[in-house]
């Protein structure tokens, strides 16, 4: 079975500062990896995903994440955050083959961007 | 395109009352369907998972049940709500490469 650990429950940063939200996973099979974003009182929206190929994936709003197989990590980064990036971010994993395709989520990281 | 409808958006129910939350999916067939609950500080807890009509897997023991009477309909129920059932409930469907979520139901049990 897969599992996900998000190491930080809350991350406060100032506007225009860089940010990294950490995510580590465990799995005995190959995985797909995802980051979802949740704004207050809304459902989750896919931010970016790693399925195969290039280990660096990017979203349209400046976030990027890098799949590191040796460290079993998929950290999310943004070089300069905006107030509008304030939200909760969830890392998720599913088995790409040989395991359950259920999405397993981490506990989430609340990113607060302060002016 | 695929869409997922979940209702109601908010619900306030007394302890001991029944519950029925409904979720329907459009634009796909035979989806994998999920019910998640989100409580403060506990992230997303997978409650039920369904790979087809009448096929329900329960992830955690609890006061809730789920049913899938049609391919694209997933219902979360309870016969008697507890205070601890309060939370934000999310329906989702997925394939291997992505999951799509409904807008959620904020349930408050009083």
């Amino acid at each position: 079975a897969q599992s996900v650990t998000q190491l930080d429950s809350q991350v406060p940063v100032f506007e225009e500062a860089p940010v990294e939200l950490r995510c580590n996973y465990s799995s005995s099979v190959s995985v797909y990896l995802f980051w979802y974003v949740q704004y207050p009182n809304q459902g989750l929206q896919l931010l970016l995903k790693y399925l195969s190929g290039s280990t660096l994936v990017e979203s349209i709003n400046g976030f990027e994440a890098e799949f590191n197989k040796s460290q079993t990590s998929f950290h999310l980064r943004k070089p300069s955050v905006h107030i509008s990036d304030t939200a909760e971010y969830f890392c998720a994993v599913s088995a790409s083959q040989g395991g359950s395709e259920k999405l397993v989520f981490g506990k989430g990281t609340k990113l607060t961007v302060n002016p | 395109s695929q869409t997922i409808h979940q209702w109601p958006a908010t619900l306030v129910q007394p302890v001991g009352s029944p519950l029925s939350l409904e979720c329907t999916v459009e634009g796909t067939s035979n989806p994998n369907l999920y019910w998640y609950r989100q409580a403060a500080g506990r992230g997303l807890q997978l409650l039920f998972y369904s790979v087809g009509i009448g096929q329900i897997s329960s992830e955690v023991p609890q006061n809730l049940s789920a049913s899938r009477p049609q391919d694209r309909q997933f219902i979360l129920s309870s016969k008697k709500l507890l205070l601890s059932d309060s939370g934000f409930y999310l329906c989702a469907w997925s394939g291997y490469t992505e999951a799509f979520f409904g807008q959620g139901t904020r349930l408050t049990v009083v």
Side-chain angles (χ1 to χ4, degrees):
Chain A
Q2 294 75 243
S3 68
V4 177
T5 302
Q6 290 183 245
L7 298 167
D8 306 296
S9 59
Q10 297 190 50
V11 174
V13 295
F14 288 108
E15 193 174 16
E16 298 183 3
V19 70
E20 178 181 80
L21 307 183
R22 296 180 291 170
C23 172
N24 288 90
Y25 70 93
S26 67
S27 176
S28 58
V29 299
S30 298
V31 296
Y32 296 143
L33 293 158
F34 308 82
W35 276 100
Y36 282 82
V37 59
Q38 184 183 32
Y39 299 101
N41 294 311
Q42 294 187 25
L44 276 69
Q45 303 170 37
L46 180 68
L47 189 59
L48 47 76
K49 60 184 177 184
Y50 169 78
L51 304 179
S52 65
S54 173
T55 57
L56 184 66
V57 290
E58 299 177 353
S59 72
I60 58 174
N61 58 353
F63 282 95
E64 64 179 31
E66 186 163 18
F67 171 52
N68 188 318
K69 188 175 182 180
S70 62
Q71 296 187 8
T72 61
S73 68
F74 191 55
H75 301 331
L76 182 69
R77 302 183 181 96
K78 189 170 184 179
S80 177
V81 294
H82 302 294
I83 299 287
S84 59
D85 292 324
T86 294
E88 189 156 17
Y89 293 80
F90 291 91
C91 183
V93 62
S94 69
S96 61
Q97 59 182 4
S100 169
E101 65 181 67
K102 290 182 293 183
L103 270 181
V104 176
F105 286 86
K107 290 187 179 296
T109 298
K110 286 188 178 179
L111 173 65
T112 303
V113 182
N114 299 301
Chain B
S1 63
Q2 307 93 343
T3 57
I4 181 165
H5 302 282
Q6 184 181 345
W7 66 92
T10 59
L11 191 60
V12 180
Q13 292 284 96
V15 169
S17 64
L19 173 73
S20 180
L21 302 181
E22 189 163 343
C23 172
T24 59
V25 179
E26 296 177 359
T28 185
S29 58
N30 197 30
N32 295 325
L33 296 173
Y34 308 76
W35 278 110
Y36 289 90
R37 178 169 59 200
Q38 189 174 19
R42 296 189 62 184
L44 282 166
Q45 182 185 31
L46 179 60
L47 303 176
F48 298 98
Y49 169 57
S50 172
V51 298
I53 295 174
Q55 300 179 62
I56 311 292
S57 297
S58 176
E59 293 294 309
V60 294
Q62 58 208 322
N63 185 42
L64 302 168
S65 62
S67 62
R68 186 170 177 175
Q70 300 180 43
D71 181 46
R72 288 173 285 180
Q73 184 185 29
F74 204 24
I75 298 171
L76 182 70
S77 304
S78 173
K79 292 182 179 178
K80 290 184 177 181
L81 284 168
L82 306 173
L83 287 174
S84 57
D85 292 324
S86 293
F88 191 52
Y89 289 82
L90 288 161
C91 179
W93 78 267
S94 81
Y96 277 103
T97 61
E98 193 168 343
F100 297 88
F101 285 82
Q103 288 300 296
T105 297
R106 174 74 60 190
L107 172 66
T108 304
V109 183
V110 296

